[in-house]
Amino acid sequence: MRCYNCGAILTKRNSCPGCGADVELYKKIIVVSNRYYNDGLEQASVRNLSGAIRSLRECLKLNKANIDARNLLGLIYYEMGEVVAALSEWVISKNLLTEGNIADDYMDMIRNNPQKLDATNQTIKKYNIALKYCNKGTLDLAVIQLKKVLSINPRFIRAHLLLCLLYLNNGNYAKAKVEAEKTLKIDTGNVMASRYLQEATEMIVPGDESEEEIAEAKEEVVRYKSGNEMIIQPKKTASLRANFPIWGIGLGIALGICATYFLILPSKLQQAGTTNQQTIIAISEESDAKSAQIVQNETEIQSLQEELESLKSQISTYEGTDSSMAAVNNLMEATAIYLSTPSDIDAITAQLDSLDLNAVEGSISNEFTDLYDSLMSHVGSELAVSYYNTGYEAYKNEDYETAITNLSKACQYDTTNVNAFYYLGNSYYNSGDTDNAKVVYDKVVTDFPNTQSAQAAEAKLAEINNASN
């Protein structure tokens, strides 16, 4: 143990041998902190993660520089699916001890795994979306999001607990019990999971027995709740009440079946096998004839296919030359207009609209691509504004076809304009194209979170999903 003031190694005396500071209270604090750490370590070893977190937090309140406690707390958070909280603890630990700190290995384990980082980001986004659905009352959508979260990170305790609570709210007590049990397998000391499990169990298994239930028990029946219904079914008994005459009849029937099986059935099977063999031979001869005809047809088809491919290659060569020349001419004309009159956006737009990059893909040169990218870096933002204004006016005038055409180009030239994406989604939605509308709305929610457009897009998505259900 070192002095908090000068860093000297302390002895059994209550004063520091280096600076003379009074360290009696300091020693007691460190001892209590270490006790909390040992308690947290012991609870973590039996998977009482919630209890371990409480003990380790108390330990760090008394001694924030306890590196072992902080690293262990990060490991527990990571085991519970709280990757962000775990990284926070390890970063603090690294700042307190820069050399020889195992927290480096823990952080490298996550940073060097891009798939793990992406899965963590997706988990956080989808869990937050589920919380928003819960706040808005769309609980079915929240359940779907939570299932996606747990498919990515099955150890995320908060998602298990929220899904369990939603199942309890919906009256699906069997599934709620399963989620609570999954949580307790990860964290045996989780109070909320135990509470949810007790609630679900009470709704499935009967509670206080009434006189009617006692009478039913005497009649050897089982009574339990499933949802809002009470199910009553007889118990299965293993006792057999038989007497000799019944067994005699059963034994006679069994002997008759055995005689049929060993004496009569073999001859019947042999006769059926002979008939089937003759049928198989006839079918085989017919199949051989048809196979020969199929081989001949396949040869002819292959010859025709090769001839067709040759003609297609010749046609594509001619078409590619014309398309490439047209694309080059359009790009050169647009560049010339920009060099002479940079403000003539309409003329530049007209030339670029005629330039079809998809038609010349694979046949254009690097110089063509460089010139196109350079021109876009100068006029791309202005083109995006022009297309957005045109598309937005068309959207307001309910000309959704024109709006879709122009807003799509605005999104192409400026991927940061959330309004362009939102109104594009509305245009698809109002025109009846709900599939493309869902794609655009989902992009708004994912790429532009915490915006009014994202909130409006979520509402539209919920409306589309409810309509489809």
Side-chain angles (χ1 to χ4, degrees):
M1 187 182 302
R2 294 184 176 274
C3 176
Y4 65 89
N5 187 33
C6 65
I9 298 178
L10 299 178
T11 62
K12 294 183 179 181
R13 297 173 57 188
N14 292 330
S15 60
C16 174
C19 62
D22 187 2
V23 293
E24 180 181 3
L25 180 59
Y26 173 71
K27 285 183 176 181
K28 292 180 180 179
I29 292 174
I30 296 299
V31 169
V32 175
S33 175
N34 291 337
R35 286 180 181 175
Y36 276 119
Y37 169 72
N38 292 333
D39 185 50
L41 182 61
E42 183 177 356
Q43 293 183 82
S45 65
V46 295
R47 299 200 67 83
N48 183 3
L49 304 185
S50 297
I53 288 176
R54 288 191 294 269
S55 297
L56 292 173
R57 283 178 176 173
E58 292 297 327
C59 169
L60 293 173
K61 284 181 182 179
L62 297 173
N63 181 14
K64 68 177 182 179
N66 193 327
I67 302 300
D68 293 334
R70 200 170 290 279
N71 289 340
L72 178 58
L73 182 58
L75 285 175
I76 294 174
Y77 280 136
Y78 184 80
E79 178 67 12
M80 296 173 67
E82 303 285 351
V83 180
V84 176
L87 286 173
S88 299
E89 296 298 331
W90 292 333
V91 168
I92 296 173
S93 173
K94 174 64 177 176
N95 290 331
L96 293 175
L97 180 61
T98 57
E99 299 294 336
N101 194 336
I102 197 174
D104 282 332
D105 298 334
Y106 298 151
M107 290 188 288
D108 289 339
M109 175 181 62
I110 299 176
R111 288 182 299 197
N112 296 334
N113 190 347
Q115 294 180 350
K116 183 65 176 178
L117 283 175
D118 182 65
T120 300
N121 292 332
Q122 292 297 324
T123 299
I124 295 171
K125 288 181 180 179
K126 293 183 182 297
Y127 180 76
N128 290 335
I129 292 173
L131 287 179
K132 291 180 181 179
Y133 285 148
C134 290
N135 293 331
K136 293 179 181 179
T138 54
L139 303 183
D140 293 339
L141 295 177
V143 169
I144 294 173
Q145 287 295 327
L146 290 173
K147 288 181 178 179
K148 293 180 180 179
V149 170
L150 293 174
S151 67
I152 300 173
N153 186 0
R155 309 189 73 81
F156 194 8
I157 286 183
R158 282 195 293 171
H160 279 296
L161 291 176
L162 181 55
L163 183 58
C164 179
L165 185 60
L166 292 176
Y167 281 145
L168 287 174
N169 182 72
N170 293 336
N172 200 336
Y173 304 113
K175 290 185 177 180
K177 182 179 179 180
V178 170
E179 292 300 325
E181 290 174 344
K182 288 181 180 179
T183 304
L184 290 174
K185 287 182 180 179
I186 302 171
D187 179 11
T188 59
N190 194 291
V191 178
M192 295 302 297
S194 300
R195 188 176 300 171
Y196 294 160
L197 179 61
Q198 180 181 1
E199 180 71 18
T201 304
E202 288 179 354
M203 298 305 296
I204 296 175
V205 180
D208 297 334
E209 294 184 346
S210 61
E211 294 181 358
E212 181 181 359
E213 291 171 337
I214 295 174
E216 290 174 351
K218 291 181 179 179
E219 295 175 1
E220 295 185 345
V221 298
V222 176
R223 186 181 184 203
Y224 63 93
K225 290 182 179 179
S226 177
N228 295 325
E229 299 179 356
M230 180 65 72
I231 307 300
I232 300 175
Q233 66 180 28
K235 290 183 179 178
K236 295 181 179 179
T237 58
S239 61
L240 297 176
R241 298 177 181 178
N243 50 47
F244 180 77
I246 295 177
W247 278 108
I249 294 173
L251 183 59
I253 294 173
L255 291 175
I257 293 173
C258 291
T260 302
Y261 181 78
F262 289 106
L263 299 177
I264 301 174
L265 188 60
S267 61
K268 293 292 184 182
L269 290 176
Q270 184 177 4
Q271 182 180 358
T274 303
T275 304
N276 291 337
Q277 186 66 26
Q278 293 175 353
T279 304
I280 290 171
I281 292 173
I283 294 173
S284 178
E285 293 175 352
E286 183 179 357
S287 175
D288 290 340
K290 291 183 178 180
S291 298
Q293 184 65 35
I294 290 172
V295 170
Q296 182 179 357
N297 293 337
E298 287 180 348
T299 303
E300 294 178 358
I301 291 172
Q302 183 177 2
S303 177
L304 294 174
Q305 186 69 27
E306 291 175 355
E307 185 178 354
L308 178 61
E309 292 297 331
S310 177
L311 293 173
K312 283 184 177 180
S313 63
Q314 295 178 15
I315 294 172
S316 63
T317 301
Y318 298 137
E319 291 179 348
T321 302
D322 294 339
S323 300
S324 300
M325 291 301 297
V328 170
N329 290 334
N330 289 330
L331 179 59
M332 294 297 291
E333 185 65 26
T335 306
I337 295 172
Y338 174 74
L339 293 176
S340 60
T341 54
S343 60
D344 194 358
I345 298 299
D346 293 336
I348 297 174
T349 302
Q351 292 298 325
L352 292 177
D353 284 343
S354 302
L355 195 158
D356 188 3
L357 293 177
N358 294 326
V360 297
E361 184 177 2
S363 61
I364 58 178
S365 63
N366 293 332
E367 291 78 7
F368 179 92
T369 304
D370 293 340
L371 180 58
Y372 179 81
D373 293 340
S374 177
L375 182 61
M376 286 298 100
S377 65
H378 289 88
V379 301
S381 59
E382 297 182 11
L383 291 176
V385 172
S386 176
Y387 280 121
Y388 173 75
N389 292 335
T390 304
Y392 182 64
E393 287 298 325
Y395 170 76
K396 291 194 296 184
N397 295 329
E398 299 183 357
D399 183 4
Y400 299 120
E401 183 177 357
T402 303
I404 290 171
T405 300
N406 286 274
L407 290 174
S408 297
K409 293 181 178 179
C411 295
Q412 175 186 347
Y413 291 125
D414 184 5
T415 59
T416 62
N417 189 345
V418 62
N419 292 328
F421 283 100
Y422 176 69
Y423 289 124
L424 176 60
N426 286 348
S427 299
Y428 278 125
Y429 178 79
N430 293 332
S431 65
D433 190 355
T434 55
D435 292 335
N436 282 323
K438 289 174 67 176
V439 172
V440 177
Y441 285 144
D442 187 64
K443 183 175 181 60
V444 173
V445 173
T446 303
D447 294 348
F448 306 97
N450 302 323
T451 62
Q452 293 182 352
S453 297
Q455 297 176 359
E458 287 181 2
K460 289 288 187 181
L461 282 173
E463 183 178 343
I464 293 173
N465 292 330
N466 290 334
S468 61
N469 294 334

